[in-house]
Amino acid sequence: MTTGYRKNTLHMEDVALEEIAASFGTPVYCYSAGKIEQNFNAYRQALSAVMSSDDFTICYACKANSNLAVLRLLQKQGAGADIVSGGELYRALKAGISPKKIVYSGVGKSTAELEEAIKRGLFQINVESEPELEMISRIAVRLRKKVAVAFRVNPNVDARTHAKITTGKKENKFGVDIRYAPALYARAKQLPGVVAAGVAVHIGSQLTALGPFRNAYKRVADLVRLLRRQGHDITRVDLGGGIGITYKDEIPPDLHLYALMVRDIISPLGVHVIIEPGRSIVGNAGLLLSRVVQVKKGRDKKFLILDAAMNDLLRPSLYGAYHAVVPCEKAPAKTIYDVVGPVCETGDTFLVNEKLPELKAGDLVAIMTSGAYGAVMASNYNTRPLAGEVLVKGRKFARVRDAQTVADIVSKDKIPGWVA
Ligand SMILES: *Cc1c(COP(=O)(O)O)cnc(C)c1O
């Protein structure tokens, strides 16, 4: 199920990565189906140990990796979906995920997106502002529907994660200030198209300690009790994203301890629990397979130039994120490289001063832990085609997205007559 060396050759499950490169070319994303299932089931088992399986729904956060095959794989495991756009709604439904298991999050849903979501009868829409609440009610009334909503509250806790992925502090754009929640639930009660059935929170991603979750969940539990005293029938709590993962030396929280915390803080409320893990389901199940294009000697440095770049995997340049690069043929590490992509940006750097085996043009490397927020963030910068994606299961592997061609990219461009 894991990715590792067998006889010095890097394998994902039972497939040598060089076989995938030979079949489909590089750069190419590879995902282990077994690992994705294992990660999902770890959540299910941890929560099942502390509550009945009817009392929680795991809504996989599609934005981490929304490939249809990945969504279908998770749907078959019983996952619902957390979506943040009309595009993700389309994907989730196409993958066969029931609307009754879909939660719609996001800070700026358009009228068209909300209309589609309301028509489909999603499980819940998470509301980010009073104007959005009013908009949802108006659309629902027009469509003769009643929509279950939860306000996403901002509990003003520090998630102690990267500044660009922290979302639960008062200066972040997300959620409504938890102090305004009573007024907003009172407002919701006056509106004919909505039923405020839940409270939602999501304080950020890649959390490697339980403390921030605990602080946020306690505030949410206090809010639920307050709202109930004010006469609101709160039946659901949405606890947001999952735990962090190991990219380098991070030690993620234990899922069983996480579940015990949920039991202690949330279960006494007698609500249905929703969690929306993304990164921890797919992150360590994926890698970006790439070939060395060139080894270039600078004045003081050796650059390992790959055929993968920041347009394929943005996290290093966007967040300064660490992704280990490992050779597909095992050898002792002895050379210090900067590992870079071919894009015309100094920020197109995967690693600085990293000790690796001596590598040469044509050698294969894997950029590890790239299953989450990898392919989904890719762009066509430098007119580089989006990489293909491959799903591995045991000895089987299949392309689950074809690589783009340059013609695909350019086909949407048009030259107006007055220029031609
Ligand atoms: C991004 C996001 C998630 C997923 O977070 P992970 O850290 O990937 O588990 C869940 N819920 C919401 C609202 C999000 O924006």
Side-chain angles (χ1 to χ4, degrees):
M1 217 96 92
T2 47
T3 296
Y5 291 104
R6 284 193 201 169
K7 291 186 184 155
N8 291 334
T9 299
L10 195 62
H11 283 65
M12 175 173 274
E13 300 199 21
D14 301 326
V15 178
L17 289 167
E18 59 192 27
E19 199 182 335
I20 295 179
S23 305
F24 301 135
T26 56
V28 63
Y29 275 98
C30 306
Y31 310 125
S32 157
K35 190 75 183 167
I36 293 172
E37 290 167 348
Q38 190 183 67
N39 288 337
F40 179 80
N41 286 313
Y43 273 96
R44 184 166 50 200
Q45 278 156 17
L47 289 172
S48 296
V50 300
M51 62 182 88
S52 145
S53 57
D54 299 333
D55 291 341
F56 67 89
T57 307
I58 305 172
C59 293
Y60 166 66
C62 297
K63 75 175 190 282
N65 184 328
S66 56
N67 185 284
L68 273 189
V70 171
L71 296 183
R72 172 63 66 92
L73 195 68
L74 287 163
Q75 182 267 342
K76 289 177 82 173
Q77 298 293 308
D82 171 63
I83 58 161
V84 294
S85 70
E88 285 186 357
L89 175 58
Y90 181 87
R91 282 182 180 273
L93 293 172
K94 195 153 179 146
I97 297 175
S98 160
K100 288 282 151 227
K101 283 188 174 183
I102 299 179
V103 172
Y104 191 174
S105 305
V107 76
K109 309 170 196 80
S110 71
T111 307
E113 287 175 318
L114 284 170
E115 250 174 34
E116 183 62 17
I118 292 168
K119 275 186 198 151
R120 298 287 182 164
L122 303 191
F123 182 62
Q124 176 172 302
I125 299 182
N126 290 352
V127 182
E128 293 258 357
S129 67
E130 186 167 352
E132 186 178 69
L133 176 76
E134 288 167 355
M135 186 165 154
I136 292 168
S137 181
R138 263 196 316 275
I139 298 169
V141 167
R142 175 154 49 79
L143 298 173
R144 295 177 210 285
K145 300 258 191 190
K146 197 127 180 150
V147 180
V149 299
F151 281 100
R152 172 171 176 182
V153 296
N154 183 327
N156 191 25
V157 302
D158 186 350
R160 285 182 259 143
T161 182
H162 190 280
K164 285 196 171 141
I165 50 176
T166 196
T167 57
K169 293 186 75 180
K170 61 183 187 324
E171 58 270 30
N172 298 137
K173 71 178 176 182
F174 298 99
V176 295
D177 192 303
I178 196 162
R179 293 170 306 175
Y180 306 153
L184 291 166
Y185 282 84
R187 176 74 185 121
K189 217 167 205 177
Q190 300 169 331
L191 295 174
V194 291
V195 183
V199 176
V201 73
H202 171 69
I203 57 171
S205 195
Q206 184 55 11
L207 274 70
T208 50
L210 284 182
F213 284 116
R214 186 178 294 115
N215 292 338
Y217 294 177
K218 278 185 177 162
R219 286 178 201 191
V220 165
D222 287 342
L223 175 64
V224 170
R225 283 185 283 266
L226 173 65
L227 292 170
R228 282 176 171 170
R229 284 199 296 278
Q230 294 172 343
H232 300 286
D233 187 17
I234 305 296
T235 57
R236 313 162 169 186
V237 167
D238 177 344
L239 298 175
I243 61 174
I245 63 173
T246 305
Y247 286 99
K248 190 177 191 179
D249 47 16
E250 305 90 333
I251 301 171
D254 182 278
L255 267 185
H256 293 280
L257 295 179
Y258 173 86
L260 287 174
M261 177 187 71
V262 172
R263 182 196 66 185
D264 291 346
I265 302 172
I266 304 295
S267 294
L269 301 169
V271 288
H272 188 82
V273 172
I274 300 157
I275 55 163
E276 305 165 341
R279 186 188 307 274
S280 47
I281 303 289
V282 289
N284 65 4
L287 56 81
L288 176 56
L289 188 58
S290 174
R291 254 184 224 289
V292 177
V293 176
Q294 215 62 265
V295 180
K296 174 172 167 173
K297 286 194 182 69
R299 209 169 112 165
D300 310 310
K301 287 197 173 255
K302 257 188 174 172
F303 295 99
L304 196 63
I305 307 173
L306 305 183
D307 66 0
M310 63 185 285
N311 76 294
D312 303 300
L313 178 64
L314 185 60
R315 298 188 70 260
S317 47
L318 185 62
Y319 307 135
Y322 179 90
H323 286 267
V325 172
V326 304
C328 290
E329 278 308 312
K330 194 175 183 177
K334 55 179 183 188
T335 310
I336 308 282
Y337 293 103
D338 278 14
V339 183
V340 302
V343 160
C344 299
E345 295 281 344
T346 300
D348 185 23
T349 297
F350 291 111
L351 291 169
V352 176
N353 293 335
E354 195 76 10
K355 201 171 186 185
L356 291 169
E358 187 80 41
L359 289 161
K360 58 183 189 312
D363 285 348
L364 274 178
V365 298
I367 306 173
M368 303 300 287
T369 324
S370 305
Y373 307 108
V376 286
M377 282 192 183
S379 79
N380 287 133
Y381 189 36
N382 283 204
T383 307
R384 287 172 49 85
L386 297 184
E389 295 172 74
V390 169
L391 190 66
V392 175
K393 177 87 198 227
R395 288 179 199 286
K396 294 195 289 264
F397 64 96
R399 195 149 41 177
V400 293
R401 187 175 72 192
D402 293 336
Q404 258 181 340
T405 64
V406 169
D408 290 336
I409 304 175
V410 180
S411 67
K412 300 285 183 189
D413 287 21
K414 288 185 174 59
I415 301 171
W418 45 266
V419 170

